[in-house]
Amino acid sequence: MANTFTRLGTANTFDAARQTLQTRQSTLADLQAKLTEGKRVVRPSDDPTSAAQAERAQTRIARITVEQRALETQKSAIQLGESTLGDATALLQQFRDLLVQSGGGVNSPTERETIAKQLVGLRDELITLANRKDANGLPLFHGLGSTSAPFEVSADGTVPDPDYSFNGLPGQAGSNEVAIPGTLDGRATWMDVPESNGVFKVSLGTGNTGQMYTDVGIIKDAALMGSEGTDFTLTFHVDATTGAMSYDATNNTTGVTTTGLPYKENQTITLGGISMVVKGVPAEGDQLEVDATVPADRPSIFGVLDRAIAGMYEPGSSTKGAASANANFNHELAISLAQVDTSLERIGAMRGRAGDLLNRADRIHDTQEDRNVQAEGDRSRAEDMDMIQGLSDFQNQQTSYQVALQTYASIQKLSLFDFIR
């Protein structure tokens, strides 16, 4: 049987040992680098699939971070808007309190003139609030867009004067799953206040000389009002001998006139489906005009305040306060109080809208935080290292490297000259 001998050269053994040593050293250095960064995937070549998953997760995290910063900016603007509406509510309430105070019979015309000047200051403050801007210089109430002051005052000599115009774009931007609007609808907040009670208005006849006036009236029967209308003329008569008072009521819609109806002060008069309280003593021939309100004629909140201020003076005067018994003053006071209350309701409604947006912003923030946690988890699973397993692998690799190093040192001694020596 022939024997087979395999001869292994010293050079081959040396090269193999050196290659093993280099491999162990490279693997050990790679593990050390991964342990230092705490990542299983340091380079895309380590695991292309996991690297791609980690990159997608990082992109989602970066996008969420940008969206959260934008949301905080929007939330800050709405918070300032809500605070501004709170300040406006306080101003309007102060305005209303002064109106009520002015209605006291103990006030003289001079005192009403003083109150009117206070009301002018409150109105000017309110205009400033309506034009307030956020930290980025954008108006809080510009609706869908405007970089200028949303509300401008002009004086063109027509009634009402000054006029107020809204320069923004009416409307409210919608929210989505990651953002809320950064502004509020200025037109819905400050403009288009329903006149009087919002359905019909009562006006004093231009030639009235008595002390008669009314409240804003109410709707008693909507169906009857629909058939009878809201267009009436009331003409009052005073018997020169007895002083008995009566009135004629003409329905301008149906053309029917009812005459000789008795009247006494503070009487509730019903006309079709509407009614109103008539106060004060009329003079012969004094009239009341009842008309439907026209949406196109709806004033701004500032116009409402202007009307209230004008009512503090005697008709046709801007320097002399009205007397307590002045019919125009009392009539305008009743209308102004009703419209200021409506203005407060509009401000309150928009403030509630701002509160809803802030609540939505908080919910969006929480949802985004959850998404961020999920994305961070996806990234961690794709590229992070199990540190316990990594340390174990590092120790094993370090031991293997030491063995390879010792083996290499032993192989270096396999020389004939070393043997002879």
PDB file of all heavy atoms in Angstrom, residues 170-206:
ATOM      1  N   PRO A 170     -62.338  86.804   3.377  1.00  0.00           N
ATOM      2  CA  PRO A 170     -63.254  86.160   4.328  1.00  0.00           C
ATOM      3  C   PRO A 170     -63.090  84.643   4.290  1.00  0.00           C
ATOM      4  O   PRO A 170     -62.807  84.058   3.250  1.00  0.00           O
ATOM      5  CB  PRO A 170     -64.637  86.581   3.828  1.00  0.00           C
ATOM      6  CG  PRO A 170     -64.399  87.774   2.957  1.00  0.00           C
ATOM      7  CD  PRO A 170     -63.045  87.581   2.349  1.00  0.00           C
ATOM      8  N   GLY A 171     -63.271  84.036   5.424  1.00  0.00           N
ATOM      9  CA  GLY A 171     -63.200  82.588   5.498  1.00  0.00           C
ATOM     10  C   GLY A 171     -62.189  82.125   6.525  1.00  0.00           C
ATOM     11  O   GLY A 171     -61.387  82.910   7.045  1.00  0.00           O
ATOM     12  N   GLN A 172     -62.230  80.841   6.799  1.00  0.00           N
ATOM     13  CA  GLN A 172     -61.353  80.238   7.790  1.00  0.00           C
ATOM     14  C   GLN A 172     -60.683  79.029   7.163  1.00  0.00           C
ATOM     15  O   GLN A 172     -61.355  78.129   6.663  1.00  0.00           O
ATOM     16  CB  GLN A 172     -62.150  79.800   9.011  1.00  0.00           C
ATOM     17  CG  GLN A 172     -61.339  79.109  10.082  1.00  0.00           C
ATOM     18  CD  GLN A 172     -60.484  80.082  10.866  1.00  0.00           C
ATOM     19  OE1 GLN A 172     -60.984  80.952  11.549  1.00  0.00           O
ATOM     20  NE2 GLN A 172     -59.176  79.939  10.737  1.00  0.00           N
ATOM     21  N   ALA A 173     -59.355  79.025   7.134  1.00  0.00           N
ATOM     22  CA  ALA A 173     -58.628  77.873   6.605  1.00  0.00           C
ATOM     23  C   ALA A 173     -58.963  76.644   7.445  1.00  0.00           C
ATOM     24  O   ALA A 173     -59.187  76.735   8.650  1.00  0.00           O
ATOM     25  CB  ALA A 173     -57.125  78.146   6.619  1.00  0.00           C
ATOM     26  N   GLY A 174     -59.011  75.489   6.787  1.00  0.00           N
ATOM     27  CA  GLY A 174     -59.344  74.262   7.496  1.00  0.00           C
ATOM     28  C   GLY A 174     -58.133  73.634   8.165  1.00  0.00           C
ATOM     29  O   GLY A 174     -56.984  73.889   7.790  1.00  0.00           O
ATOM     30  N   SER A 175     -58.413  72.819   9.159  1.00  0.00           N
ATOM     31  CA  SER A 175     -57.360  72.050   9.813  1.00  0.00           C
ATOM     32  C   SER A 175     -57.164  70.741   9.052  1.00  0.00           C
ATOM     33  O   SER A 175     -58.018  70.306   8.291  1.00  0.00           O
ATOM     34  CB  SER A 175     -57.741  71.751  11.264  1.00  0.00           C
ATOM     35  OG  SER A 175     -57.995  72.931  11.979  1.00  0.00           O
ATOM     36  N   ASN A 176     -56.009  70.125   9.254  1.00  0.00           N
ATOM     37  CA  ASN A 176     -55.783  68.779   8.732  1.00  0.00           C
ATOM     38  C   ASN A 176     -55.155  67.940   9.828  1.00  0.00           C
ATOM     39  O   ASN A 176     -55.117  68.346  10.983  1.00  0.00           O
ATOM     40  CB  ASN A 176     -54.905  68.815   7.464  1.00  0.00           C
ATOM     41  CG  ASN A 176     -53.585  69.544   7.680  1.00  0.00           C
ATOM     42  OD1 ASN A 176     -52.918  69.345   8.697  1.00  0.00           O
ATOM     43  ND2 ASN A 176     -53.203  70.400   6.739  1.00  0.00           N
ATOM     44  N   GLU A 177     -54.655  66.779   9.494  1.00  0.00           N
ATOM     45  CA  GLU A 177     -54.182  65.862  10.541  1.00  0.00           C
ATOM     46  C   GLU A 177     -52.866  66.299  11.160  1.00  0.00           C
ATOM     47  O   GLU A 177     -52.462  65.735  12.184  1.00  0.00           O
ATOM     48  CB  GLU A 177     -54.050  64.459   9.984  1.00  0.00           C
ATOM     49  CG  GLU A 177     -53.027  64.314   8.867  1.00  0.00           C
ATOM     50  CD  GLU A 177     -52.879  62.894   8.394  1.00  0.00           C
ATOM     51  OE1 GLU A 177     -53.632  62.025   8.877  1.00  0.00           O
ATOM     52  OE2 GLU A 177     -52.012  62.656   7.546  1.00  0.00           O
ATOM     53  N   VAL A 178     -52.198  67.307  10.581  1.00  0.00           N
ATOM     54  CA  VAL A 178     -50.915  67.725  11.154  1.00  0.00           C
ATOM     55  C   VAL A 178     -50.846  69.225  11.417  1.00  0.00           C
ATOM     56  O   VAL A 178     -49.838  69.714  11.930  1.00  0.00           O
ATOM     57  CB  VAL A 178     -49.734  67.325  10.234  1.00  0.00           C
ATOM     58  CG1 VAL A 178     -49.650  65.824  10.099  1.00  0.00           C
ATOM     59  CG2 VAL A 178     -49.837  67.993   8.862  1.00  0.00           C
ATOM     60  N   ALA A 179     -51.874  70.000  11.089  1.00  0.00           N
ATOM     61  CA  ALA A 179     -51.780  71.463  11.222  1.00  0.00           C
ATOM     62  C   ALA A 179     -53.150  72.070  11.482  1.00  0.00           C
ATOM     63  O   ALA A 179     -54.188  71.480  11.176  1.00  0.00           O
ATOM     64  CB  ALA A 179     -51.160  72.072   9.959  1.00  0.00           C
ATOM     65  N   ILE A 180     -53.126  73.263  12.048  1.00  0.00           N
ATOM     66  CA  ILE A 180     -54.327  74.070  12.233  1.00  0.00           C
ATOM     67  C   ILE A 180     -54.089  75.407  11.534  1.00  0.00           C
ATOM     68  O   ILE A 180     -52.938  75.763  11.258  1.00  0.00           O
ATOM     69  CB  ILE A 180     -54.645  74.299  13.723  1.00  0.00           C
ATOM     70  CG1 ILE A 180     -53.505  75.077  14.409  1.00  0.00           C
ATOM     71  CG2 ILE A 180     -54.897  72.978  14.424  1.00  0.00           C
ATOM     72  CD1 ILE A 180     -53.810  75.486  15.843  1.00  0.00           C
ATOM     73  N   PRO A 181     -55.146  76.177  11.238  1.00  0.00           N
ATOM     74  CA  PRO A 181     -54.916  77.498  10.647  1.00  0.00           C
ATOM     75  C   PRO A 181     -54.208  78.419  11.624  1.00  0.00           C
ATOM     76  O   PRO A 181     -54.359  78.291  12.838  1.00  0.00           O
ATOM     77  CB  PRO A 181     -56.326  77.996  10.325  1.00  0.00           C
ATOM     78  CG  PRO A 181     -57.219  77.204  11.221  1.00  0.00           C
ATOM     79  CD  PRO A 181     -56.577  75.867  11.382  1.00  0.00           C
ATOM     80  N   GLY A 182     -53.409  79.331  11.093  1.00  0.00           N
ATOM     81  CA  GLY A 182     -52.665  80.257  11.943  1.00  0.00           C
ATOM     82  C   GLY A 182     -53.351  81.595  12.122  1.00  0.00           C
ATOM     83  O   GLY A 182     -52.810  82.480  12.798  1.00  0.00           O
ATOM     84  N   THR A 183     -54.553  81.755  11.529  1.00  0.00           N
ATOM     85  CA  THR A 183     -55.288  83.013  11.655  1.00  0.00           C
ATOM     86  C   THR A 183     -56.766  82.714  11.860  1.00  0.00           C
ATOM     87  O   THR A 183     -57.220  81.585  11.665  1.00  0.00           O
ATOM     88  CB  THR A 183     -55.131  83.885  10.390  1.00  0.00           C
ATOM     89  OG1 THR A 183     -55.675  83.175   9.262  1.00  0.00           O
ATOM     90  CG2 THR A 183     -53.677  84.214  10.129  1.00  0.00           C
ATOM     91  N   LEU A 184     -57.522  83.737  12.229  1.00  0.00           N
ATOM     92  CA  LEU A 184     -58.956  83.614  12.432  1.00  0.00           C
ATOM     93  C   LEU A 184     -59.700  84.467  11.403  1.00  0.00           C
ATOM     94  O   LEU A 184     -59.128  85.412  10.846  1.00  0.00           O
ATOM     95  CB  LEU A 184     -59.323  84.060  13.848  1.00  0.00           C
ATOM     96  CG  LEU A 184     -58.704  83.233  14.985  1.00  0.00           C
ATOM     97  CD1 LEU A 184     -58.947  83.914  16.327  1.00  0.00           C
ATOM     98  CD2 LEU A 184     -59.258  81.825  14.992  1.00  0.00           C
ATOM     99  N   ASP A 185     -60.945  84.118  11.166  1.00  0.00           N
ATOM    100  CA  ASP A 185     -61.764  84.830  10.175  1.00  0.00           C
ATOM    101  C   ASP A 185     -62.186  86.182  10.742  1.00  0.00           C
ATOM    102  O   ASP A 185     -63.061  86.255  11.609  1.00  0.00           O
ATOM    103  CB  ASP A 185     -62.974  83.992   9.813  1.00  0.00           C
ATOM    104  CG  ASP A 185     -63.800  84.608   8.675  1.00  0.00           C
ATOM    105  OD1 ASP A 185     -63.462  85.712   8.231  1.00  0.00           O
ATOM    106  OD2 ASP A 185     -64.779  83.967   8.251  1.00  0.00           O
ATOM    107  N   GLY A 186     -61.544  87.246  10.246  1.00  0.00           N
ATOM    108  CA  GLY A 186     -61.837  88.583  10.746  1.00  0.00           C
ATOM    109  C   GLY A 186     -63.233  89.055  10.393  1.00  0.00           C
ATOM    110  O   GLY A 186     -63.884  89.756  11.181  1.00  0.00           O
ATOM    111  N   ARG A 187     -63.709  88.669   9.219  1.00  0.00           N
ATOM    112  CA  ARG A 187     -65.041  89.138   8.816  1.00  0.00           C
ATOM    113  C   ARG A 187     -66.116  88.519   9.706  1.00  0.00           C
ATOM    114  O   ARG A 187     -67.040  89.219  10.159  1.00  0.00           O
ATOM    115  CB  ARG A 187     -65.306  88.788   7.350  1.00  0.00           C
ATOM    116  CG  ARG A 187     -66.617  89.376   6.832  1.00  0.00           C
ATOM    117  CD  ARG A 187     -66.820  89.159   5.348  1.00  0.00           C
ATOM    118  NE  ARG A 187     -68.013  89.865   4.906  1.00  0.00           N
ATOM    119  CZ  ARG A 187     -68.050  91.136   4.527  1.00  0.00           C
ATOM    120  NH1 ARG A 187     -66.936  91.844   4.540  1.00  0.00           N
ATOM    121  NH2 ARG A 187     -69.160  91.713   4.143  1.00  0.00           N
ATOM    122  N   ALA A 188     -66.011  87.229   9.957  1.00  0.00           N
ATOM    123  CA  ALA A 188     -67.000  86.574  10.807  1.00  0.00           C
ATOM    124  C   ALA A 188     -66.929  87.077  12.240  1.00  0.00           C
ATOM    125  O   ALA A 188     -67.914  87.006  12.972  1.00  0.00           O
ATOM    126  CB  ALA A 188     -66.802  85.057  10.774  1.00  0.00           C
ATOM    127  N   THR A 189     -65.761  87.592  12.634  1.00  0.00           N
ATOM    128  CA  THR A 189     -65.588  88.057  14.007  1.00  0.00           C
ATOM    129  C   THR A 189     -66.090  89.471  14.200  1.00  0.00           C
ATOM    130  O   THR A 189     -66.812  89.771  15.162  1.00  0.00           O
ATOM    131  CB  THR A 189     -64.105  87.986  14.412  1.00  0.00           C
ATOM    132  OG1 THR A 189     -63.609  86.669  14.180  1.00  0.00           O
ATOM    133  CG2 THR A 189     -63.922  88.355  15.877  1.00  0.00           C
ATOM    134  N   TRP A 190     -65.715  90.365  13.288  1.00  0.00           N
ATOM    135  CA  TRP A 190     -65.912  91.794  13.528  1.00  0.00           C
ATOM    136  C   TRP A 190     -66.943  92.456  12.626  1.00  0.00           C
ATOM    137  O   TRP A 190     -67.373  93.573  12.921  1.00  0.00           O
ATOM    138  CB  TRP A 190     -64.577  92.527  13.341  1.00  0.00           C
ATOM    139  CG  TRP A 190     -63.465  91.995  14.177  1.00  0.00           C
ATOM    140  CD1 TRP A 190     -62.491  91.128  13.801  1.00  0.00           C
ATOM    141  CD2 TRP A 190     -63.200  92.294  15.559  1.00  0.00           C
ATOM    142  NE1 TRP A 190     -61.635  90.860  14.845  1.00  0.00           N
ATOM    143  CE2 TRP A 190     -62.051  91.569  15.939  1.00  0.00           C
ATOM    144  CE3 TRP A 190     -63.830  93.108  16.503  1.00  0.00           C
ATOM    145  CZ2 TRP A 190     -61.513  91.636  17.215  1.00  0.00           C
ATOM    146  CZ3 TRP A 190     -63.298  93.178  17.774  1.00  0.00           C
ATOM    147  CH2 TRP A 190     -62.156  92.446  18.132  1.00  0.00           C
ATOM    148  N   MET A 191     -67.322  91.807  11.538  1.00  0.00           N
ATOM    149  CA  MET A 191     -68.212  92.450  10.571  1.00  0.00           C
ATOM    150  C   MET A 191     -69.604  91.822  10.603  1.00  0.00           C
ATOM    151  O   MET A 191     -69.840  90.789  11.226  1.00  0.00           O
ATOM    152  CB  MET A 191     -67.629  92.329   9.156  1.00  0.00           C
ATOM    153  CG  MET A 191     -66.198  92.834   9.020  1.00  0.00           C
ATOM    154  SD  MET A 191     -65.994  94.607   9.339  1.00  0.00           S
ATOM    155  CE  MET A 191     -66.715  95.290   7.850  1.00  0.00           C
ATOM    156  N   ASP A 192     -70.529  92.455   9.884  1.00  0.00           N
ATOM    157  CA  ASP A 192     -71.874  91.913   9.629  1.00  0.00           C
ATOM    158  C   ASP A 192     -72.645  91.599  10.909  1.00  0.00           C
ATOM    159  O   ASP A 192     -73.170  90.498  11.087  1.00  0.00           O
ATOM    160  CB  ASP A 192     -71.786  90.650   8.760  1.00  0.00           C
ATOM    161  CG  ASP A 192     -71.186  90.933   7.401  1.00  0.00           C
ATOM    162  OD1 ASP A 192     -71.294  92.080   6.943  1.00  0.00           O
ATOM    163  OD2 ASP A 192     -70.586  90.016   6.808  1.00  0.00           O
ATOM    164  N   VAL A 193     -72.715  92.565  11.812  1.00  0.00           N
ATOM    165  CA  VAL A 193     -73.534  92.389  13.014  1.00  0.00           C
ATOM    166  C   VAL A 193     -75.000  92.625  12.639  1.00  0.00           C
ATOM    167  O   VAL A 193     -75.335  93.669  12.071  1.00  0.00           O
ATOM    168  CB  VAL A 193     -73.105  93.378  14.117  1.00  0.00           C
ATOM    169  CG1 VAL A 193     -73.987  93.202  15.351  1.00  0.00           C
ATOM    170  CG2 VAL A 193     -71.642  93.167  14.475  1.00  0.00           C
ATOM    171  N   PRO A 194     -75.901  91.686  12.931  1.00  0.00           N
ATOM    172  CA  PRO A 194     -77.318  91.896  12.598  1.00  0.00           C
ATOM    173  C   PRO A 194     -77.843  93.175  13.240  1.00  0.00           C
ATOM    174  O   PRO A 194     -77.587  93.451  14.408  1.00  0.00           O
ATOM    175  CB  PRO A 194     -78.005  90.651  13.189  1.00  0.00           C
ATOM    176  CG  PRO A 194     -76.926  89.618  13.206  1.00  0.00           C
ATOM    177  CD  PRO A 194     -75.657  90.357  13.509  1.00  0.00           C
ATOM    178  N   GLU A 195     -78.547  93.946  12.462  1.00  0.00           N
ATOM    179  CA  GLU A 195     -79.074  95.216  12.960  1.00  0.00           C
ATOM    180  C   GLU A 195     -80.268  94.968  13.866  1.00  0.00           C
ATOM    181  O   GLU A 195     -81.085  94.075  13.607  1.00  0.00           O
ATOM    182  CB  GLU A 195     -79.471  96.112  11.790  1.00  0.00           C
ATOM    183  CG  GLU A 195     -79.848  97.526  12.208  1.00  0.00           C
ATOM    184  CD  GLU A 195     -80.106  98.426  11.014  1.00  0.00           C
ATOM    185  OE1 GLU A 195     -80.052  97.928   9.876  1.00  0.00           O
ATOM    186  OE2 GLU A 195     -80.378  99.624  11.236  1.00  0.00           O
ATOM    187  N   SER A 196     -80.356  95.739  14.927  1.00  0.00           N
ATOM    188  CA  SER A 196     -81.450  95.640  15.891  1.00  0.00           C
ATOM    189  C   SER A 196     -81.566  94.205  16.389  1.00  0.00           C
ATOM    190  O   SER A 196     -80.607  93.664  16.918  1.00  0.00           O
ATOM    191  CB  SER A 196     -82.746  96.138  15.256  1.00  0.00           C
ATOM    192  OG  SER A 196     -83.712  96.395  16.250  1.00  0.00           O
ATOM    193  N   ASN A 197     -82.719  93.555  16.206  1.00  0.00           N
ATOM    194  CA  ASN A 197     -82.852  92.171  16.672  1.00  0.00           C
ATOM    195  C   ASN A 197     -82.504  91.161  15.579  1.00  0.00           C
ATOM    196  O   ASN A 197     -82.639  89.949  15.775  1.00  0.00           O
ATOM    197  CB  ASN A 197     -84.262  91.899  17.215  1.00  0.00           C
ATOM    198  CG  ASN A 197     -85.333  92.109  16.150  1.00  0.00           C
ATOM    199  OD1 ASN A 197     -85.099  91.993  14.963  1.00  0.00           O
ATOM    200  ND2 ASN A 197     -86.552  92.429  16.594  1.00  0.00           N
ATOM    201  N   GLY A 198     -82.073  91.652  14.430  1.00  0.00           N
ATOM    202  CA  GLY A 198     -81.636  90.772  13.352  1.00  0.00           C
ATOM    203  C   GLY A 198     -82.710  90.420  12.352  1.00  0.00           C
ATOM    204  O   GLY A 198     -82.408  89.919  11.269  1.00  0.00           O
ATOM    205  N   VAL A 199     -83.987  90.659  12.685  1.00  0.00           N
ATOM    206  CA  VAL A 199     -85.097  90.319  11.779  1.00  0.00           C
ATOM    207  C   VAL A 199     -85.821  91.572  11.317  1.00  0.00           C
ATOM    208  O   VAL A 199     -86.089  91.751  10.130  1.00  0.00           O
ATOM    209  CB  VAL A 199     -86.077  89.347  12.456  1.00  0.00           C
ATOM    210  CG1 VAL A 199     -87.252  89.037  11.531  1.00  0.00           C
ATOM    211  CG2 VAL A 199     -85.371  88.066  12.858  1.00  0.00           C
ATOM    212  N   PHE A 200     -86.154  92.430  12.263  1.00  0.00           N
ATOM    213  CA  PHE A 200     -86.792  93.697  11.889  1.00  0.00           C
ATOM    214  C   PHE A 200     -86.238  94.802  12.786  1.00  0.00           C
ATOM    215  O   PHE A 200     -85.636  94.550  13.835  1.00  0.00           O
ATOM    216  CB  PHE A 200     -88.321  93.604  12.011  1.00  0.00           C
ATOM    217  CG  PHE A 200     -88.811  93.368  13.414  1.00  0.00           C
ATOM    218  CD1 PHE A 200     -89.116  94.431  14.257  1.00  0.00           C
ATOM    219  CD2 PHE A 200     -88.974  92.075  13.906  1.00  0.00           C
ATOM    220  CE1 PHE A 200     -89.578  94.224  15.552  1.00  0.00           C
ATOM    221  CE2 PHE A 200     -89.441  91.854  15.198  1.00  0.00           C
ATOM    222  CZ  PHE A 200     -89.733  92.926  16.023  1.00  0.00           C
ATOM    223  N   LYS A 201     -86.436  96.022  12.344  1.00  0.00           N
ATOM    224  CA  LYS A 201     -85.948  97.174  13.102  1.00  0.00           C
ATOM    225  C   LYS A 201     -87.083  98.185  13.244  1.00  0.00           C
ATOM    226  O   LYS A 201     -87.964  98.269  12.391  1.00  0.00           O
ATOM    227  CB  LYS A 201     -84.754  97.818  12.405  1.00  0.00           C
ATOM    228  CG  LYS A 201     -85.044  98.302  10.997  1.00  0.00           C
ATOM    229  CD  LYS A 201     -83.802  98.876  10.328  1.00  0.00           C
ATOM    230  CE  LYS A 201     -84.107  99.309   8.896  1.00  0.00           C
ATOM    231  NZ  LYS A 201     -82.934  99.895   8.216  1.00  0.00           N
ATOM    232  N   VAL A 202     -87.034  98.916  14.318  1.00  0.00           N
ATOM    233  CA  VAL A 202     -88.036  99.948  14.589  1.00  0.00           C
ATOM    234  C   VAL A 202     -87.332 101.301  14.572  1.00  0.00           C
ATOM    235  O   VAL A 202     -86.328 101.495  15.275  1.00  0.00           O
ATOM    236  CB  VAL A 202     -88.726  99.727  15.948  1.00  0.00           C
ATOM    237  CG1 VAL A 202     -89.843 100.749  16.144  1.00  0.00           C
ATOM    238  CG2 VAL A 202     -89.267  98.314  16.046  1.00  0.00           C
ATOM    239  N   SER A 203     -87.846 102.230  13.788  1.00  0.00           N
ATOM    240  CA  SER A 203     -87.244 103.562  13.667  1.00  0.00           C
ATOM    241  C   SER A 203     -88.254 104.620  14.078  1.00  0.00           C
ATOM    242  O   SER A 203     -89.471 104.473  13.853  1.00  0.00           O
ATOM    243  CB  SER A 203     -86.796 103.825  12.222  1.00  0.00           C
ATOM    244  OG  SER A 203     -85.928 102.809  11.764  1.00  0.00           O
ATOM    245  N   LEU A 204     -87.743 105.682  14.679  1.00  0.00           N
ATOM    246  CA  LEU A 204     -88.598 106.817  15.023  1.00  0.00           C
ATOM    247  C   LEU A 204     -88.840 107.652  13.779  1.00  0.00           C
ATOM    248  O   LEU A 204     -87.955 107.806  12.927  1.00  0.00           O
ATOM    249  CB  LEU A 204     -87.932 107.673  16.103  1.00  0.00           C
ATOM    250  CG  LEU A 204     -87.585 106.983  17.426  1.00  0.00           C
ATOM    251  CD1 LEU A 204     -86.949 107.995  18.380  1.00  0.00           C
ATOM    252  CD2 LEU A 204     -88.827 106.363  18.058  1.00  0.00           C
ATOM    253  N   GLY A 205     -90.027 108.182  13.668  1.00  0.00           N
ATOM    254  CA  GLY A 205     -90.312 109.064  12.544  1.00  0.00           C
ATOM    255  C   GLY A 205     -89.422 110.294  12.561  1.00  0.00           C
ATOM    256  O   GLY A 205     -89.105 110.832  13.627  1.00  0.00           O
ATOM    257  N   THR A 206     -88.996 110.735  11.397  1.00  0.00           N
ATOM    258  CA  THR A 206     -88.069 111.867  11.321  1.00  0.00           C
ATOM    259  C   THR A 206     -88.666 113.155  11.857  1.00  0.00           C
ATOM    260  O   THR A 206     -87.944 114.056  12.295  1.00  0.00           O
ATOM    261  CB  THR A 206     -87.609 112.074   9.870  1.00  0.00           C
ATOM    262  OG1 THR A 206     -88.764 112.259   9.034  1.00  0.00           O
ATOM    263  CG2 THR A 206     -86.819 110.873   9.368  1.00  0.00           C
TER     264      THR A 206
END
